[in-house]
Each structure stands twice: as structure tokens, then as C-alpha cells.
Amino acid sequence: MHRYDPARRKLALGLAFLAGTVDATGFIRTGGYFASFMSGNTTRLGLHIAGQPSIAYIPFALICGFVTGVVLGSLLASRWPDWRKRALLAAVTLVLGAGAIASMLGSTVGFLAASALAMGMANNVFTKDGEVTVGVTYMTGALVRFGQGLAARMSGRSQEGSRGYGWLWMALALGAIAGGMLHKLVQDHSPAILCAMAFLLFCYAALVEKGRTDDPPADEGI
């Protein structure tokens, strides 16, 4: 995070906020499954296999959908590298739109599947040489970086590499709060609002990339 210019930091925070909102919405609507937190789905998969094997396919399908999103997002990013952020966020918006339509038709499974696919795609927005540089849908690594930064400061050392990760976690947490509030206030319309949020991020990404044929070297390819 510390290497990125302010515009890209804001985009990363916006994506983390969206991921938190999507995850909270999916969790509430499905009674405990995640659209972006695959560690949680993996734990549920193990528990289902041990105690309820007949429904183990649910978390497994979500994990497969997320991985499929990562694959498709990576292919999309490599196809249009100069417009990677816009291309990916346009795809995320369209997929979340499909999820909103599925929700309107009464398919919670369709909504969650589309959400998992979209969140997998979103993790390709910040990459370098095909490797994810900022994970915007999972925060364990961000919290580890944040904790290492705190330890460094307590020891009187500087740890530039840990800067910004606390804010990234906060963005996801605030997104989860927003998802809970949306479900409470506008339950039936929350999937459509998620699509609208993704579209706003697409518009911001277009501004970030506007006038560039390639990302500046200082941003290390993000």
C-alpha cells in the first residue's frame, strides 16, 4: 500500500469496502456463507463434510466460483493490460448486476454465485507480473502487516511496508457494517446497490487510468 499513489490507495480502499459490503450481504441472505471470504467457506466445507455431507457442495461451489473469477479476471487483465482496472471493474459491475437480477427473480444461490465470481475478479485489479499485490477481499495478511508495523514502532524501528494496511482492514469492516445496514433498511434492493457501488468504482478507476497508456514505474504495475 505504501508504494501506491493516493488515487490508487483510495481505489484499493473502495474495493475493500465493496468486498465487505458484498460479503455481509451474502452472509445474511444465505445464513452463513461468504462471497469473498474463502477461508470461512473452507472451514464450513470441512465442517459439512464431517457432519452434514449432503450440503458440502454449497461452500465448495462458492470456492470454485471464486477461483473461476480469479482465472477470468487474470485472463481479462492480460488481454487489456493498459485498461486493466477499468476492464475488471466493468466486468465486476456486470456480474454483480447479473446477481441483482437473480436476486430479483428469487434466486439467492444465483446472487451469491455471481458475487463470489465478481469478488474473485476484483482481486486482479492490483497486480504485478501476474501476482496480486493487494488482496482486497481478505484481510489476514493485512492485519499481519499492521501488527508487524506496530511491533516495529514499539521497537523504535521504521517499517514503511506496513503502512496503509490498517486502513485497508478498516475499509472492509466498514463495508461489512454498510452491508448489514443495507439489509436492514432496503433488504430487497441491496444487491442492486452493490452493483451501483461497483459502477462508481469503475468510474473512479477510469479517472485513475485516464490519459495513461501504461502504469507509471513507481506504482510497480498496479
Side-chain angles (χ1 to χ4, degrees):
M1 287 287 286
H2 70 290
R3 295 188 180 95
Y4 310 156
D5 61 63
R8 286 170 173 75
R9 291 181 191 177
K10 291 175 184 176
L11 181 59
L13 294 175
L15 279 167
F17 183 88
L18 175 65
T21 310
V22 170
D23 227 15
T25 302
F27 183 88
I28 294 171
R29 293 174 72 89
T30 61
Y33 296 100
F34 302 94
S36 67
F37 181 50
M38 293 303 118
S39 295
N41 285 337
T42 301
T43 299
R44 296 216 63 173
L45 173 63
L47 291 174
H48 286 343
I49 291 174
Q52 296 175 291
S54 63
I55 59 173
Y57 72 91
I58 300 174
F60 181 72
L62 289 170
I63 293 168
C64 290
F66 183 86
V67 173
T68 299
V70 174
V71 172
L72 292 176
S74 181
L75 292 172
L76 192 64
S78 63
R79 177 65 180 81
W80 288 288
D82 295 340
W83 302 279
R84 181 176 65 248
K85 294 174 179 62
R86 279 172 283 182
L88 286 167
L89 285 169
V92 168
T93 301
L94 290 174
V95 174
L96 286 178
I101 293 172
S103 179
M104 290 173 58
L105 295 175
S107 176
T108 300
V109 173
F111 161 71
L112 194 62
S115 298
L117 186 70
M119 292 299 96
M121 289 180 172
N123 277 286
N124 289 281
V125 173
F126 290 92
T127 58
K128 176 179 172 59
D129 298 328
E131 299 289 334
V132 174
T133 55
V134 179
V136 294
T137 68
Y138 46 91
M139 291 298 134
T140 301
L143 287 174
V144 169
R145 293 278 191 95
F146 177 67
Q148 289 173 334
L150 288 178
R153 292 184 184 90
M154 292 170 66
S155 303
R157 296 180 286 109
S158 175
Q159 181 124 356
E160 288 292 319
S162 66
R163 294 182 61 182
Y165 286 97
W167 289 111
L168 197 65
W169 172 84
M170 181 67 72
L172 186 92
L174 290 174
I177 294 171
M181 293 178 66
L182 283 175
H183 183 81
K184 183 178 180 180
L185 298 174
V186 288
Q187 177 177 343
D188 294 336
H189 303 292
S190 55
I193 293 174
L194 297 176
C195 178
M197 290 169 61
F199 178 71
L200 290 175
L201 287 173
F202 161 75
C203 293
Y204 184 70
L207 291 176
V208 170
E209 292 182 324
K210 185 177 180 181
R212 299 180 184 275
T213 56
D214 197 5
D215 288 323
D219 289 335
E220 297 197 349
I222 63 166

